[in-house]
Amino acid sequence: MNQGDLSGIELTASTIVKCQLDNLYLPGIIALNITFDDCRLRYAHFEGASMVTAKFIKSNLFSSTFANVNLTEALFDGNNMQSVNFSGAILARAKIYNSRLEKVDFANADLLGSNLNVDQYIHLVHDKSNISRFPNGSFSVIDSSQLIKDGSAEHMVSEQFYC
């Protein structure tokens, strides 16, 4: 599914049926207020989705990607998150409680107002300097060298005039 609307859907395990959504592929979907309760989301792919106020409760998120996903005010409670990719994600005012985080990537993520303590989880983050905005609103150091990929045109021009 690409760019479908799953807003308000509740996916939950029961005593009879397990919620196993391995290899779930939903890039670009709209899923406002979607709930995953006691689900296994191994290798799930949500890149570019809008998942504002999504809830992940007691779920296993192993090697899943939330790259460039809008997770504003999302709730992560009691989850096991291993090798999860939140690069470029908007996690403004997101709450992460009682969760195990291991090898989680927040590169270029916006964590404004979230409860994530980056220093506490620094050993889990690949590179703290790549976080775009910290929970307190401060920004990481931005590498301003070569912001424009120009193929070093300025060197070729100067060589033509001075040769």
Side-chain angles (χ1 to χ4, degrees), residues 97-108:
Y97 299 113
N98 310 311
S99 294
R100 179 175 173 245
L101 281 72
E102 183 178 323
K103 296 181 183 172
V104 177
D105 186 357
F106 292 103
N108 299 315

Side-chain angles (χ1 to χ4, degrees), residues 126-153:
H126 295 304
D127 185 357
K128 180 180 175 182
S129 67
N130 281 340
I131 294 173
S132 67
R133 189 161 45 166
F134 293 102
N136 67 1
S138 64
F139 290 89
S140 63
V141 177
I142 299 171
D143 179 6
S144 61
S145 66
Q146 286 296 336
L147 289 176
I148 299 173
K149 298 284 184 187
D150 60 6
S152 298

Side-chain angles (χ1 to χ4, degrees), residues 8-144:
I9 299 287
E10 292 184 23
L11 300 162
T12 186
S14 70
T15 55
I16 300 168
V17 179
K18 299 218 182 261
C19 181
Q20 295 181 352
L21 303 169
D22 296 348
N23 300 303
L24 184 65
Y25 187 75
L26 298 173
I29 64 156
I30 297 169
L32 310 178
N33 205 34
I34 192 169
T35 300
F36 294 93
D37 188 354
D38 199 16
C39 294
R40 187 172 81 180
L41 294 159
R42 297 170 69 89
Y43 304 101
H45 186 91
F46 297 100
E47 186 168 357
S50 179
M51 300 178 77
V52 174
T53 65
K55 295 173 192 69
F56 296 86
I57 303 164
K58 297 181 288 177
S59 294
N60 183 356
L61 300 132
F62 178 78
S63 290
S64 294
T65 183
F66 294 89
N68 303 310
V69 173
N70 185 349
L71 287 159
T72 300
E73 296 183 4
L75 171 67
F76 296 87
D77 191 4
N79 297 294
N80 181 15
M81 295 191 275
Q82 289 182 301
S83 301
V84 177
N85 179 1
F86 287 108
S87 63
I90 300 171
L91 288 154
R93 297 179 306 284
K95 303 298 178 205
I96 301 176
Y97 299 113
N98 310 311
S99 294
R100 179 175 173 245
L101 281 72
E102 183 178 323
K103 296 181 183 172
V104 177
D105 186 357
F106 292 103
N108 299 315
D110 185 352
L111 301 170
L112 179 66
S114 72
N115 73 328
L116 185 66
N117 181 338
V118 178
D119 291 325
Q120 180 181 353
Y121 296 114
I122 189 60
H123 63 284
L124 311 169
V125 179
H126 295 304
D127 185 357
K128 180 180 175 182
S129 67
N130 281 340
I131 294 173
S132 67
R133 189 161 45 166
F134 293 102
N136 67 1
S138 64
F139 290 89
S140 63
V141 177
I142 299 171
D143 179 6
S144 61

